[in-house]
Amino acid sequence: REQARLKAGVLEEDTEEWQRDPQFRGLHRVGGVDVSYSKDDENHACASLVVLSYPALEVLYQDCRMVPVTAPYVAGFLAFREVPVLVEAVQRLQQEEPQLQPQVLLVDGNGLLHHRGFGTACHLGVLTDLPCIGVAKNLLQVDGLVRDELHKEQVRSLQKSGEAFPLTGTSGKVLGMALRSCSNSSKPLYVSVGHRVSLGTAVRLVRACCRFRVPEPIRQ
């Protein structure tokens, strides 16, 4: 019910001037968030928020801290485990270094590419009201999307960095894009809309932030 309530607030279109510019003129700060778990103790994690300059991709701000994780892991409900600590990290930044607030967040996870169309990137976006993009390293198998031979063939067809193909579910809805983010890695990224961004802009920005396979804000 909470996911359905919050999902009503998701905006799937560009809301900022810089998003409409082919060179992203006006974009100066790109954030990345991730939660990494201790191998010995699943109830403790490192919540990280890093802000990079754009287009130079130099680190302007970083906040990494060990946090207790209270909610259990349940497939499809990962956001309830991770988003509270990420919202706290964003709020700390807004209080301590408001001039460094990111204009967009890249989230290590999914957005609309989710069982109920409301992954971590959507959840975080709605709660912080920041543009958010989901960037996943593995395909979440929802709405008929599977890593079958056809999917692997489509992945092999991505020859150059920046090439992508749509992830169309059996419902007919495009849930995201598989993107070859750099020429040195044939493994794609799975990009989806989180909040206040269109899918086309999300893919362009993720590509622009990649020096390696994983976009620099998340990699950092």
Side-chain angles (χ1 to χ4, degrees):
R1 283 201 301 271
E2 180 74 351
Q3 282 179 330
R5 183 181 71 79
L6 292 171
K7 184 183 173 184
V10 171
L11 295 174
E12 297 179 45
E13 68 266 359
D14 295 328
T15 60
E16 310 301 301
E17 280 301 312
W18 61 262
Q19 294 169 329
R20 301 182 182 93
D21 187 281
Q23 273 78 50
F24 293 130
R25 278 183 289 258
L27 175 63
H28 306 295
R29 295 173 307 284
V30 180
V33 293
D34 191 10
V35 178
S36 308
Y37 294 90
S38 164
K39 290 199 168 40
D40 307 318
D41 181 3
E42 281 288 295
N43 296 317
H44 281 85
C46 180
S48 303
L49 164 63
V50 180
V51 181
L52 273 59
S53 63
Y54 187 88
L57 302 178
E58 291 169 346
V59 176
L60 301 175
Y61 174 93
Q62 51 191 355
D63 178 359
C64 306
R65 56 183 72 194
M66 294 302 295
V67 292
V69 180
T70 51
Y73 171 71
V74 181
F77 296 97
L78 182 65
F80 290 96
R81 189 167 162 83
E82 297 191 345
V83 165
V85 295
L86 295 176
V87 168
E88 285 174 11
V90 171
Q91 289 171 340
R92 274 195 301 275
L93 167 58
Q94 289 169 333
Q95 287 162 4
E96 294 166 13
E97 304 271 4
Q99 75 282 6
L100 295 179
Q101 171 160 302
Q103 292 162 276
V104 59
L105 282 174
L106 304 189
V107 181
D108 183 28
N110 292 294
L112 296 178
L113 178 55
H114 177 266
H115 306 283
R116 283 168 299 284
F118 194 72
T120 303
C122 297
H123 207 128
L124 183 63
V126 171
L127 291 184
T128 61
D129 199 33
L130 290 172
C132 280
I133 297 169
V135 185
K137 294 184 282 292
N138 298 300
L139 177 65
L140 187 64
Q141 304 195 14
V142 297
D143 193 13
L145 294 175
V146 284
R147 286 185 66 249
D148 57 7
E149 208 40 57
L150 172 62
H151 180 79
K152 291 173 185 171
E153 197 176 300
Q154 288 176 303
V155 168
R156 284 192 291 271
S157 75
L158 303 177
Q159 295 296 306
K160 299 201 297 282
S161 68
E163 292 186 350
F165 63 85
L167 299 164
T168 307
T170 49
S171 63
K173 185 170 171 62
V174 175
L175 302 174
M177 297 281 277
L179 166 71
R180 180 160 182 169
S181 55
C182 78
S183 50
N184 296 339
S185 176
S186 58
K187 292 180 179 176
L189 294 173
Y190 298 98
V191 180
S192 56
V193 167
H195 183 51
R196 291 178 59 184
V197 66
S198 68
L199 183 57
T201 298
V203 171
R204 279 198 305 125
L205 181 61
V206 170
R207 170 69 194 91
C209 289
C210 285
R211 288 177 176 155
F212 305 98
R213 180 192 174 207
V214 174
E216 211 58 14
I218 292 176
R219 196 178 78 85
Q220 292 287 349

